[in-house]
Amino acid sequence: MNWVEGIGYLGTALTVASSAMGTMIPLRIVALCASCAVITYGFLIGSVPLMLTEAIQIPFNAWRLYEMVRLVRETERAASGDLSLDWLKPFGTLRRFRAGEVLFLKGDEAKEMYLIESGRFRIAEHGLDIRPGQIVGELGMLSPGNRRTGSLACVEAGTAPCLSYSEVKQLYYQNPEFGFYFLKLTSERLFQSAAEAAETARPAAAAGSDVL
């Protein structure tokens, strides 16, 4: 075996290795390396179709690698910073809601979550108003049996990108690092919401004791 064939075998080995990987970022990196090796081999043996096939794949793999790296970085920044979830918008489907419309009821099967973009929504059981920039419905993914822990209704007409749990799970399985930061972010938002609810309830309790 000469060195030209060695390059060809290297490209084949990298291609097989990328197909066997389960996480997206290493997969894309190895796939790009495989394409470079195969293009080099195709050039040395004068095979234009071989070079063309791999050259077409490079932009797709490079773009998907960029998207996943950006997703992980933005999730990490959100988890350690302002808790913003705007980076999820490209993965959701924008929906419009009318005032008085009920999105889901407590106990319903949960399959999706919403990132509020405009309008005002309310969880009646907890007396919580959900406003633009907040996420709602994510706890159903973590609750036993994937059931809703409260009812959500639209108070003021607005819009909200809808992100299915299957999409979130796909992102998680493609990149466990994303899953770690997403769970960290969700937990922090849960504690934040609990603290806000406690602050809201404290003045009402104090007012009730004054009346008594």
Side-chain angles (χ1 to χ4, degrees), residues 67 70-80 82-92 113 115 135 161 163 168 171 177-179 181-183 185-186 189:
E67 282 188 326
R70 183 184 63 179
L71 176 64
V72 171
R73 287 178 177 174
E74 291 181 351
T75 311
E76 181 179 5
R77 184 170 63 249
S80 60
D82 60 3
L83 303 183
S84 171
L85 288 166
D86 288 343
W87 44 269
L88 277 176
K89 288 182 179 179
F91 298 94
M113 61 186 186
L115 175 60
I135 193 172
L163 187 68
V168 176
L171 291 172
E177 190 177 10
F178 161 81
Y181 287 118
F182 180 78
L183 289 177
L185 178 61
T186 302
R189 291 182 66 88

PDB file of all heavy atoms in Angstrom, residues 67 70-80 82-92 113 115 135 161 163 168 171 177-179 181-183 185-186 189:
ATOM      1  N   GLU A  67     -23.961  25.871  13.905  1.00  0.00           N
ATOM      2  CA  GLU A  67     -25.231  26.005  14.612  1.00  0.00           C
ATOM      3  C   GLU A  67     -25.185  25.350  15.987  1.00  0.00           C
ATOM      4  O   GLU A  67     -25.659  25.913  16.975  1.00  0.00           O
ATOM      5  CB  GLU A  67     -26.365  25.376  13.782  1.00  0.00           C
ATOM      6  CG  GLU A  67     -26.847  26.223  12.638  1.00  0.00           C
ATOM      7  CD  GLU A  67     -28.082  25.648  11.982  1.00  0.00           C
ATOM      8  OE1 GLU A  67     -28.200  24.404  11.923  1.00  0.00           O
ATOM      9  OE2 GLU A  67     -28.942  26.429  11.535  1.00  0.00           O
ATOM     10  N   ARG A  70     -22.858  27.241  18.396  1.00  0.00           N
ATOM     11  CA  ARG A  70     -23.515  28.482  18.820  1.00  0.00           C
ATOM     12  C   ARG A  70     -24.623  28.194  19.831  1.00  0.00           C
ATOM     13  O   ARG A  70     -24.783  28.918  20.818  1.00  0.00           O
ATOM     14  CB  ARG A  70     -24.111  29.199  17.606  1.00  0.00           C
ATOM     15  CG  ARG A  70     -24.755  30.543  17.943  1.00  0.00           C
ATOM     16  CD  ARG A  70     -25.398  31.157  16.738  1.00  0.00           C
ATOM     17  NE  ARG A  70     -26.494  30.323  16.244  1.00  0.00           N
ATOM     18  CZ  ARG A  70     -27.255  30.647  15.196  1.00  0.00           C
ATOM     19  NH1 ARG A  70     -27.026  31.758  14.525  1.00  0.00           N
ATOM     20  NH2 ARG A  70     -28.225  29.839  14.814  1.00  0.00           N
ATOM     21  N   LEU A  71     -25.381  27.114  19.596  1.00  0.00           N
ATOM     22  CA  LEU A  71     -26.460  26.746  20.511  1.00  0.00           C
ATOM     23  C   LEU A  71     -25.924  26.448  21.906  1.00  0.00           C
ATOM     24  O   LEU A  71     -26.456  26.928  22.904  1.00  0.00           O
ATOM     25  CB  LEU A  71     -27.207  25.523  19.967  1.00  0.00           C
ATOM     26  CG  LEU A  71     -28.318  24.953  20.859  1.00  0.00           C
ATOM     27  CD1 LEU A  71     -29.427  25.972  21.032  1.00  0.00           C
ATOM     28  CD2 LEU A  71     -28.861  23.667  20.251  1.00  0.00           C
ATOM     29  N   VAL A  72     -24.849  25.678  21.973  1.00  0.00           N
ATOM     30  CA  VAL A  72     -24.264  25.339  23.273  1.00  0.00           C
ATOM     31  C   VAL A  72     -23.746  26.590  23.971  1.00  0.00           C
ATOM     32  O   VAL A  72     -23.953  26.788  25.175  1.00  0.00           O
ATOM     33  CB  VAL A  72     -23.125  24.315  23.096  1.00  0.00           C
ATOM     34  CG1 VAL A  72     -22.362  24.126  24.409  1.00  0.00           C
ATOM     35  CG2 VAL A  72     -23.678  22.977  22.627  1.00  0.00           C
ATOM     36  N   ARG A  73     -23.077  27.471  23.232  1.00  0.00           N
ATOM     37  CA  ARG A  73     -22.532  28.689  23.836  1.00  0.00           C
ATOM     38  C   ARG A  73     -23.637  29.599  24.352  1.00  0.00           C
ATOM     39  O   ARG A  73     -23.523  30.158  25.451  1.00  0.00           O
ATOM     40  CB  ARG A  73     -21.677  29.434  22.809  1.00  0.00           C
ATOM     41  CG  ARG A  73     -20.334  28.764  22.526  1.00  0.00           C
ATOM     42  CD  ARG A  73     -19.551  29.513  21.480  1.00  0.00           C
ATOM     43  NE  ARG A  73     -18.247  28.906  21.255  1.00  0.00           N
ATOM     44  CZ  ARG A  73     -17.404  29.309  20.305  1.00  0.00           C
ATOM     45  NH1 ARG A  73     -17.723  30.313  19.501  1.00  0.00           N
ATOM     46  NH2 ARG A  73     -16.235  28.712  20.175  1.00  0.00           N
ATOM     47  N   GLU A  74     -24.707  29.748  23.573  1.00  0.00           N
ATOM     48  CA  GLU A  74     -25.795  30.623  23.993  1.00  0.00           C
ATOM     49  C   GLU A  74     -26.553  30.031  25.178  1.00  0.00           C
ATOM     50  O   GLU A  74     -27.009  30.761  26.058  1.00  0.00           O
ATOM     51  CB  GLU A  74     -26.741  30.878  22.821  1.00  0.00           C
ATOM     52  CG  GLU A  74     -26.110  31.735  21.737  1.00  0.00           C
ATOM     53  CD  GLU A  74     -27.051  32.008  20.578  1.00  0.00           C
ATOM     54  OE1 GLU A  74     -28.131  31.388  20.538  1.00  0.00           O
ATOM     55  OE2 GLU A  74     -26.704  32.833  19.719  1.00  0.00           O
ATOM     56  N   THR A  75     -26.679  28.695  25.195  1.00  0.00           N
ATOM     57  CA  THR A  75     -27.330  28.049  26.342  1.00  0.00           C
ATOM     58  C   THR A  75     -26.488  28.224  27.594  1.00  0.00           C
ATOM     59  O   THR A  75     -27.004  28.516  28.670  1.00  0.00           O
ATOM     60  CB  THR A  75     -27.533  26.550  26.066  1.00  0.00           C
ATOM     61  OG1 THR A  75     -28.120  26.363  24.786  1.00  0.00           O
ATOM     62  CG2 THR A  75     -28.420  25.918  27.121  1.00  0.00           C
ATOM     63  N   GLU A  76     -25.188  28.065  27.455  1.00  0.00           N
ATOM     64  CA  GLU A  76     -24.286  28.233  28.590  1.00  0.00           C
ATOM     65  C   GLU A  76     -24.327  29.671  29.102  1.00  0.00           C
ATOM     66  O   GLU A  76     -24.359  29.907  30.313  1.00  0.00           O
ATOM     67  CB  GLU A  76     -22.859  27.866  28.185  1.00  0.00           C
ATOM     68  CG  GLU A  76     -21.856  27.989  29.327  1.00  0.00           C
ATOM     69  CD  GLU A  76     -20.458  27.590  28.892  1.00  0.00           C
ATOM     70  OE1 GLU A  76     -20.256  27.306  27.688  1.00  0.00           O
ATOM     71  OE2 GLU A  76     -19.552  27.560  29.754  1.00  0.00           O
ATOM     72  N   ARG A  77     -24.336  30.635  28.177  1.00  0.00           N
ATOM     73  CA  ARG A  77     -24.380  32.032  28.585  1.00  0.00           C
ATOM     74  C   ARG A  77     -25.697  32.353  29.291  1.00  0.00           C
ATOM     75  O   ARG A  77     -25.721  33.071  30.290  1.00  0.00           O
ATOM     76  CB  ARG A  77     -24.212  32.943  27.363  1.00  0.00           C
ATOM     77  CG  ARG A  77     -24.156  34.421  27.731  1.00  0.00           C
ATOM     78  CD  ARG A  77     -23.757  35.289  26.566  1.00  0.00           C
ATOM     79  NE  ARG A  77     -24.701  35.241  25.478  1.00  0.00           N
ATOM     80  CZ  ARG A  77     -24.451  34.675  24.292  1.00  0.00           C
ATOM     81  NH1 ARG A  77     -23.290  34.094  24.076  1.00  0.00           N
ATOM     82  NH2 ARG A  77     -25.365  34.676  23.339  1.00  0.00           N
ATOM     83  N   ALA A  78     -26.797  31.801  28.778  1.00  0.00           N
ATOM     84  CA  ALA A  78     -28.094  32.049  29.401  1.00  0.00           C
ATOM     85  C   ALA A  78     -28.160  31.429  30.798  1.00  0.00           C
ATOM     86  O   ALA A  78     -28.698  32.016  31.731  1.00  0.00           O
ATOM     87  CB  ALA A  78     -29.220  31.483  28.530  1.00  0.00           C
ATOM     88  N   ALA A  79     -27.593  30.231  30.940  1.00  0.00           N
ATOM     89  CA  ALA A  79     -27.636  29.541  32.225  1.00  0.00           C
ATOM     90  C   ALA A  79     -26.804  30.246  33.293  1.00  0.00           C
ATOM     91  O   ALA A  79     -27.053  30.087  34.487  1.00  0.00           O
ATOM     92  CB  ALA A  79     -27.148  28.104  32.064  1.00  0.00           C
ATOM     93  N   SER A  80     -25.819  31.017  32.857  1.00  0.00           N
ATOM     94  CA  SER A  80     -24.963  31.705  33.830  1.00  0.00           C
ATOM     95  C   SER A  80     -25.220  33.203  33.860  1.00  0.00           C
ATOM     96  O   SER A  80     -24.557  33.928  34.579  1.00  0.00           O
ATOM     97  CB  SER A  80     -23.487  31.459  33.482  1.00  0.00           C
ATOM     98  OG  SER A  80     -23.198  31.953  32.179  1.00  0.00           O
ATOM     99  N   ASP A  82     -28.512  36.026  32.145  1.00  0.00           N
ATOM    100  CA  ASP A  82     -29.823  36.656  32.288  1.00  0.00           C
ATOM    101  C   ASP A  82     -30.999  35.699  32.129  1.00  0.00           C
ATOM    102  O   ASP A  82     -32.146  36.120  32.104  1.00  0.00           O
ATOM    103  CB  ASP A  82     -29.958  37.788  31.263  1.00  0.00           C
ATOM    104  CG  ASP A  82     -29.835  37.301  29.819  1.00  0.00           C
ATOM    105  OD1 ASP A  82     -29.709  36.075  29.619  1.00  0.00           O
ATOM    106  OD2 ASP A  82     -29.866  38.137  28.906  1.00  0.00           O
ATOM    107  N   LEU A  83     -30.727  34.398  31.989  1.00  0.00           N
ATOM    108  CA  LEU A  83     -31.783  33.381  31.842  1.00  0.00           C
ATOM    109  C   LEU A  83     -32.625  33.580  30.588  1.00  0.00           C
ATOM    110  O   LEU A  83     -33.759  33.122  30.519  1.00  0.00           O
ATOM    111  CB  LEU A  83     -32.698  33.368  33.079  1.00  0.00           C
ATOM    112  CG  LEU A  83     -32.014  33.127  34.418  1.00  0.00           C
ATOM    113  CD1 LEU A  83     -33.048  33.064  35.533  1.00  0.00           C
ATOM    114  CD2 LEU A  83     -31.189  31.860  34.404  1.00  0.00           C
ATOM    115  N   SER A  84     -32.082  34.261  29.587  1.00  0.00           N
ATOM    116  CA  SER A  84     -32.823  34.483  28.353  1.00  0.00           C
ATOM    117  C   SER A  84     -32.920  33.187  27.554  1.00  0.00           C
ATOM    118  O   SER A  84     -31.991  32.386  27.507  1.00  0.00           O
ATOM    119  CB  SER A  84     -32.119  35.546  27.499  1.00  0.00           C
ATOM    120  OG  SER A  84     -32.712  35.623  26.222  1.00  0.00           O
ATOM    121  N   LEU A  85     -34.085  33.002  26.921  1.00  0.00           N
ATOM    122  CA  LEU A  85     -34.298  31.809  26.100  1.00  0.00           C
ATOM    123  C   LEU A  85     -34.580  32.179  24.645  1.00  0.00           C
ATOM    124  O   LEU A  85     -35.156  31.393  23.907  1.00  0.00           O
ATOM    125  CB  LEU A  85     -35.463  30.985  26.677  1.00  0.00           C
ATOM    126  CG  LEU A  85     -35.153  30.260  27.983  1.00  0.00           C
ATOM    127  CD1 LEU A  85     -36.441  29.767  28.624  1.00  0.00           C
ATOM    128  CD2 LEU A  85     -34.214  29.099  27.759  1.00  0.00           C
ATOM    129  N   ASP A  86     -34.159  33.363  24.232  1.00  0.00           N
ATOM    130  CA  ASP A  86     -34.407  33.807  22.862  1.00  0.00           C
ATOM    131  C   ASP A  86     -33.749  32.902  21.836  1.00  0.00           C
ATOM    132  O   ASP A  86     -34.217  32.812  20.694  1.00  0.00           O
ATOM    133  CB  ASP A  86     -33.906  35.243  22.674  1.00  0.00           C
ATOM    134  CG  ASP A  86     -34.796  36.256  23.384  1.00  0.00           C
ATOM    135  OD1 ASP A  86     -35.935  35.884  23.733  1.00  0.00           O
ATOM    136  OD2 ASP A  86     -34.354  37.398  23.592  1.00  0.00           O
ATOM    137  N   TRP A  87     -32.672  32.232  22.218  1.00  0.00           N
ATOM    138  CA  TRP A  87     -31.963  31.368  21.282  1.00  0.00           C
ATOM    139  C   TRP A  87     -32.782  30.152  20.879  1.00  0.00           C
ATOM    140  O   TRP A  87     -32.436  29.436  19.942  1.00  0.00           O
ATOM    141  CB  TRP A  87     -30.631  30.916  21.899  1.00  0.00           C
ATOM    142  CG  TRP A  87     -30.743  30.504  23.320  1.00  0.00           C
ATOM    143  CD1 TRP A  87     -30.585  31.284  24.429  1.00  0.00           C
ATOM    144  CD2 TRP A  87     -31.069  29.202  23.809  1.00  0.00           C
ATOM    145  NE1 TRP A  87     -30.785  30.551  25.566  1.00  0.00           N
ATOM    146  CE2 TRP A  87     -31.080  29.277  25.227  1.00  0.00           C
ATOM    147  CE3 TRP A  87     -31.347  27.991  23.193  1.00  0.00           C
ATOM    148  CZ2 TRP A  87     -31.359  28.174  26.022  1.00  0.00           C
ATOM    149  CZ3 TRP A  87     -31.640  26.896  23.990  1.00  0.00           C
ATOM    150  CH2 TRP A  87     -31.639  26.988  25.381  1.00  0.00           C
ATOM    151  N   LEU A  88     -33.901  29.903  21.589  1.00  0.00           N
ATOM    152  CA  LEU A  88     -34.758  28.767  21.235  1.00  0.00           C
ATOM    153  C   LEU A  88     -35.740  29.096  20.115  1.00  0.00           C
ATOM    154  O   LEU A  88     -36.340  28.196  19.538  1.00  0.00           O
ATOM    155  CB  LEU A  88     -35.546  28.305  22.463  1.00  0.00           C
ATOM    156  CG  LEU A  88     -34.837  27.365  23.441  1.00  0.00           C
ATOM    157  CD1 LEU A  88     -35.708  27.089  24.648  1.00  0.00           C
ATOM    158  CD2 LEU A  88     -34.446  26.061  22.760  1.00  0.00           C
ATOM    159  N   LYS A  89     -35.920  30.388  19.831  1.00  0.00           N
ATOM    160  CA  LYS A  89     -36.924  30.804  18.845  1.00  0.00           C
ATOM    161  C   LYS A  89     -36.771  30.121  17.487  1.00  0.00           C
ATOM    162  O   LYS A  89     -37.773  29.705  16.891  1.00  0.00           O
ATOM    163  CB  LYS A  89     -36.895  32.328  18.674  1.00  0.00           C
ATOM    164  CG  LYS A  89     -37.468  33.090  19.859  1.00  0.00           C
ATOM    165  CD  LYS A  89     -37.443  34.588  19.587  1.00  0.00           C
ATOM    166  CE  LYS A  89     -38.028  35.356  20.766  1.00  0.00           C
ATOM    167  NZ  LYS A  89     -37.996  36.823  20.535  1.00  0.00           N
ATOM    168  N   PRO A  90     -35.545  30.007  16.933  1.00  0.00           N
ATOM    169  CA  PRO A  90     -35.419  29.382  15.604  1.00  0.00           C
ATOM    170  C   PRO A  90     -35.895  27.940  15.557  1.00  0.00           C
ATOM    171  O   PRO A  90     -36.190  27.414  14.482  1.00  0.00           O
ATOM    172  CB  PRO A  90     -33.909  29.472  15.319  1.00  0.00           C
ATOM    173  CG  PRO A  90     -33.427  30.598  16.162  1.00  0.00           C
ATOM    174  CD  PRO A  90     -34.256  30.526  17.405  1.00  0.00           C
ATOM    175  N   PHE A  91     -35.995  27.283  16.713  1.00  0.00           N
ATOM    176  CA  PHE A  91     -36.399  25.878  16.742  1.00  0.00           C
ATOM    177  C   PHE A  91     -37.897  25.701  16.962  1.00  0.00           C
ATOM    178  O   PHE A  91     -38.403  24.579  16.940  1.00  0.00           O
ATOM    179  CB  PHE A  91     -35.626  25.138  17.844  1.00  0.00           C
ATOM    180  CG  PHE A  91     -34.137  25.134  17.642  1.00  0.00           C
ATOM    181  CD1 PHE A  91     -33.346  26.099  18.248  1.00  0.00           C
ATOM    182  CD2 PHE A  91     -33.537  24.195  16.823  1.00  0.00           C
ATOM    183  CE1 PHE A  91     -31.971  26.106  18.065  1.00  0.00           C
ATOM    184  CE2 PHE A  91     -32.164  24.193  16.639  1.00  0.00           C
ATOM    185  CZ  PHE A  91     -31.381  25.155  17.258  1.00  0.00           C
ATOM    186  N   GLY A  92     -38.609  26.811  17.188  1.00  0.00           N
ATOM    187  CA  GLY A  92     -40.038  26.734  17.471  1.00  0.00           C
ATOM    188  C   GLY A  92     -40.907  27.181  16.306  1.00  0.00           C
ATOM    189  O   GLY A  92     -40.419  27.715  15.310  1.00  0.00           O
ATOM    190  N   MET A 113     -43.732  23.311  24.877  1.00  0.00           N
ATOM    191  CA  MET A 113     -43.605  24.466  25.751  1.00  0.00           C
ATOM    192  C   MET A 113     -43.624  25.726  24.891  1.00  0.00           C
ATOM    193  O   MET A 113     -43.487  25.666  23.659  1.00  0.00           O
ATOM    194  CB  MET A 113     -42.317  24.380  26.583  1.00  0.00           C
ATOM    195  CG  MET A 113     -41.045  24.347  25.775  1.00  0.00           C
ATOM    196  SD  MET A 113     -39.616  24.058  26.851  1.00  0.00           S
ATOM    197  CE  MET A 113     -38.273  24.253  25.681  1.00  0.00           C
ATOM    198  N   LEU A 115     -42.472  29.948  24.404  1.00  0.00           N
ATOM    199  CA  LEU A 115     -41.651  31.102  24.743  1.00  0.00           C
ATOM    200  C   LEU A 115     -42.476  32.344  24.415  1.00  0.00           C
ATOM    201  O   LEU A 115     -42.716  32.645  23.242  1.00  0.00           O
ATOM    202  CB  LEU A 115     -40.347  31.098  23.946  1.00  0.00           C
ATOM    203  CG  LEU A 115     -39.432  32.312  24.119  1.00  0.00           C
ATOM    204  CD1 LEU A 115     -39.013  32.457  25.584  1.00  0.00           C
ATOM    205  CD2 LEU A 115     -38.197  32.193  23.231  1.00  0.00           C
ATOM    206  N   ILE A 135     -40.702  31.730  29.650  1.00  0.00           N
ATOM    207  CA  ILE A 135     -41.064  30.437  29.070  1.00  0.00           C
ATOM    208  C   ILE A 135     -42.091  29.773  29.969  1.00  0.00           C
ATOM    209  O   ILE A 135     -42.095  29.987  31.184  1.00  0.00           O
ATOM    210  CB  ILE A 135     -39.823  29.536  28.912  1.00  0.00           C
ATOM    211  CG1 ILE A 135     -40.139  28.330  28.021  1.00  0.00           C
ATOM    212  CG2 ILE A 135     -39.296  29.080  30.254  1.00  0.00           C
ATOM    213  CD1 ILE A 135     -38.930  27.501  27.669  1.00  0.00           C
ATOM    214  N   PRO A 161     -43.631  31.432  20.212  1.00  0.00           N
ATOM    215  CA  PRO A 161     -43.075  30.272  19.520  1.00  0.00           C
ATOM    216  C   PRO A 161     -43.315  29.013  20.336  1.00  0.00           C
ATOM    217  O   PRO A 161     -43.099  29.003  21.551  1.00  0.00           O
ATOM    218  CB  PRO A 161     -41.575  30.602  19.424  1.00  0.00           C
ATOM    219  CG  PRO A 161     -41.504  32.083  19.526  1.00  0.00           C
ATOM    220  CD  PRO A 161     -42.609  32.464  20.468  1.00  0.00           C
ATOM    221  N   LEU A 163     -42.391  25.116  21.037  1.00  0.00           N
ATOM    222  CA  LEU A 163     -41.293  24.173  20.855  1.00  0.00           C
ATOM    223  C   LEU A 163     -41.698  22.824  21.436  1.00  0.00           C
ATOM    224  O   LEU A 163     -41.998  22.720  22.622  1.00  0.00           O
ATOM    225  CB  LEU A 163     -40.038  24.684  21.557  1.00  0.00           C
ATOM    226  CG  LEU A 163     -38.755  23.893  21.330  1.00  0.00           C
ATOM    227  CD1 LEU A 163     -38.294  24.045  19.884  1.00  0.00           C
ATOM    228  CD2 LEU A 163     -37.650  24.392  22.260  1.00  0.00           C
ATOM    229  N   VAL A 168     -36.744  19.353  21.731  1.00  0.00           N
ATOM    230  CA  VAL A 168     -35.802  19.564  22.828  1.00  0.00           C
ATOM    231  C   VAL A 168     -35.006  18.285  23.090  1.00  0.00           C
ATOM    232  O   VAL A 168     -33.779  18.330  23.280  1.00  0.00           O
ATOM    233  CB  VAL A 168     -36.544  19.996  24.112  1.00  0.00           C
ATOM    234  CG1 VAL A 168     -35.562  20.109  25.281  1.00  0.00           C
ATOM    235  CG2 VAL A 168     -37.245  21.320  23.901  1.00  0.00           C
ATOM    236  N   LEU A 171     -32.347  17.801  20.450  1.00  0.00           N
ATOM    237  CA  LEU A 171     -31.191  18.648  20.704  1.00  0.00           C
ATOM    238  C   LEU A 171     -30.356  18.084  21.847  1.00  0.00           C
ATOM    239  O   LEU A 171     -29.128  18.142  21.822  1.00  0.00           O
ATOM    240  CB  LEU A 171     -31.653  20.072  21.043  1.00  0.00           C
ATOM    241  CG  LEU A 171     -32.286  20.859  19.897  1.00  0.00           C
ATOM    242  CD1 LEU A 171     -32.870  22.163  20.423  1.00  0.00           C
ATOM    243  CD2 LEU A 171     -31.267  21.139  18.806  1.00  0.00           C
ATOM    244  N   GLU A 177     -24.096  18.242  26.200  1.00  0.00           N
ATOM    245  CA  GLU A 177     -23.713  19.493  26.852  1.00  0.00           C
ATOM    246  C   GLU A 177     -24.874  20.479  26.830  1.00  0.00           C
ATOM    247  O   GLU A 177     -25.134  21.185  27.809  1.00  0.00           O
ATOM    248  CB  GLU A 177     -22.488  20.099  26.174  1.00  0.00           C
ATOM    249  CG  GLU A 177     -21.901  21.274  26.941  1.00  0.00           C
ATOM    250  CD  GLU A 177     -20.643  21.799  26.289  1.00  0.00           C
ATOM    251  OE1 GLU A 177     -20.340  21.378  25.154  1.00  0.00           O
ATOM    252  OE2 GLU A 177     -19.956  22.627  26.914  1.00  0.00           O
ATOM    253  N   PHE A 178     -25.599  20.515  25.700  1.00  0.00           N
ATOM    254  CA  PHE A 178     -26.779  21.358  25.615  1.00  0.00           C
ATOM    255  C   PHE A 178     -27.802  20.920  26.663  1.00  0.00           C
ATOM    256  O   PHE A 178     -28.407  21.743  27.344  1.00  0.00           O
ATOM    257  CB  PHE A 178     -27.400  21.263  24.213  1.00  0.00           C
ATOM    258  CG  PHE A 178     -28.834  21.726  24.166  1.00  0.00           C
ATOM    259  CD1 PHE A 178     -29.142  23.075  24.100  1.00  0.00           C
ATOM    260  CD2 PHE A 178     -29.877  20.809  24.208  1.00  0.00           C
ATOM    261  CE1 PHE A 178     -30.455  23.499  24.079  1.00  0.00           C
ATOM    262  CE2 PHE A 178     -31.191  21.227  24.179  1.00  0.00           C
ATOM    263  CZ  PHE A 178     -31.480  22.576  24.111  1.00  0.00           C
ATOM    264  N   GLY A 179     -27.992  19.603  26.795  1.00  0.00           N
ATOM    265  CA  GLY A 179     -28.958  19.090  27.767  1.00  0.00           C
ATOM    266  C   GLY A 179     -28.605  19.498  29.185  1.00  0.00           C
ATOM    267  O   GLY A 179     -29.489  19.866  29.968  1.00  0.00           O
ATOM    268  N   TYR A 181     -26.875  22.177  30.217  1.00  0.00           N
ATOM    269  CA  TYR A 181     -27.130  23.593  30.432  1.00  0.00           C
ATOM    270  C   TYR A 181     -28.621  23.908  30.401  1.00  0.00           C
ATOM    271  O   TYR A 181     -29.098  24.784  31.119  1.00  0.00           O
ATOM    272  CB  TYR A 181     -26.381  24.433  29.393  1.00  0.00           C
ATOM    273  CG  TYR A 181     -24.892  24.479  29.634  1.00  0.00           C
ATOM    274  CD1 TYR A 181     -24.001  23.978  28.695  1.00  0.00           C
ATOM    275  CD2 TYR A 181     -24.378  25.008  30.818  1.00  0.00           C
ATOM    276  CE1 TYR A 181     -22.632  24.013  28.914  1.00  0.00           C
ATOM    277  CE2 TYR A 181     -23.015  25.042  31.049  1.00  0.00           C
ATOM    278  CZ  TYR A 181     -22.148  24.554  30.092  1.00  0.00           C
ATOM    279  OH  TYR A 181     -20.796  24.577  30.314  1.00  0.00           O
ATOM    280  N   PHE A 182     -29.375  23.178  29.575  1.00  0.00           N
ATOM    281  CA  PHE A 182     -30.811  23.427  29.517  1.00  0.00           C
ATOM    282  C   PHE A 182     -31.472  23.044  30.843  1.00  0.00           C
ATOM    283  O   PHE A 182     -32.326  23.777  31.358  1.00  0.00           O
ATOM    284  CB  PHE A 182     -31.436  22.631  28.376  1.00  0.00           C
ATOM    285  CG  PHE A 182     -32.926  22.837  28.252  1.00  0.00           C
ATOM    286  CD1 PHE A 182     -33.423  23.992  27.663  1.00  0.00           C
ATOM    287  CD2 PHE A 182     -33.819  21.904  28.752  1.00  0.00           C
ATOM    288  CE1 PHE A 182     -34.790  24.194  27.563  1.00  0.00           C
ATOM    289  CE2 PHE A 182     -35.185  22.103  28.658  1.00  0.00           C
ATOM    290  CZ  PHE A 182     -35.668  23.250  28.055  1.00  0.00           C
ATOM    291  N   LEU A 183     -31.087  21.908  31.413  1.00  0.00           N
ATOM    292  CA  LEU A 183     -31.639  21.504  32.702  1.00  0.00           C
ATOM    293  C   LEU A 183     -31.228  22.486  33.805  1.00  0.00           C
ATOM    294  O   LEU A 183     -32.027  22.809  34.696  1.00  0.00           O
ATOM    295  CB  LEU A 183     -31.173  20.093  33.048  1.00  0.00           C
ATOM    296  CG  LEU A 183     -31.780  18.957  32.223  1.00  0.00           C
ATOM    297  CD1 LEU A 183     -31.168  17.626  32.620  1.00  0.00           C
ATOM    298  CD2 LEU A 183     -33.299  18.910  32.395  1.00  0.00           C
ATOM    299  N   LEU A 185     -30.577  25.646  33.359  1.00  0.00           N
ATOM    300  CA  LEU A 185     -31.342  26.860  33.121  1.00  0.00           C
ATOM    301  C   LEU A 185     -32.783  26.698  33.588  1.00  0.00           C
ATOM    302  O   LEU A 185     -33.347  27.580  34.243  1.00  0.00           O
ATOM    303  CB  LEU A 185     -31.305  27.194  31.622  1.00  0.00           C
ATOM    304  CG  LEU A 185     -32.082  28.420  31.158  1.00  0.00           C
ATOM    305  CD1 LEU A 185     -31.550  29.669  31.839  1.00  0.00           C
ATOM    306  CD2 LEU A 185     -31.990  28.569  29.655  1.00  0.00           C
ATOM    307  N   THR A 186     -33.397  25.556  33.277  1.00  0.00           N
ATOM    308  CA  THR A 186     -34.779  25.306  33.682  1.00  0.00           C
ATOM    309  C   THR A 186     -34.907  25.281  35.205  1.00  0.00           C
ATOM    310  O   THR A 186     -35.858  25.826  35.762  1.00  0.00           O
ATOM    311  CB  THR A 186     -35.255  23.956  33.110  1.00  0.00           C
ATOM    312  OG1 THR A 186     -35.129  23.972  31.685  1.00  0.00           O
ATOM    313  CG2 THR A 186     -36.700  23.701  33.461  1.00  0.00           C
ATOM    314  N   ARG A 189     -34.719  28.810  36.562  1.00  0.00           N
ATOM    315  CA  ARG A 189     -35.952  29.544  36.293  1.00  0.00           C
ATOM    316  C   ARG A 189     -37.067  29.069  37.233  1.00  0.00           C
ATOM    317  O   ARG A 189     -37.913  29.858  37.660  1.00  0.00           O
ATOM    318  CB  ARG A 189     -36.372  29.371  34.833  1.00  0.00           C
ATOM    319  CG  ARG A 189     -35.438  30.065  33.848  1.00  0.00           C
ATOM    320  CD  ARG A 189     -35.934  29.909  32.418  1.00  0.00           C
ATOM    321  NE  ARG A 189     -37.190  30.623  32.238  1.00  0.00           N
ATOM    322  CZ  ARG A 189     -37.271  31.901  31.898  1.00  0.00           C
ATOM    323  NH1 ARG A 189     -36.173  32.610  31.713  1.00  0.00           N
ATOM    324  NH2 ARG A 189     -38.441  32.487  31.740  1.00  0.00           N
TER     325      ARG A 189
END
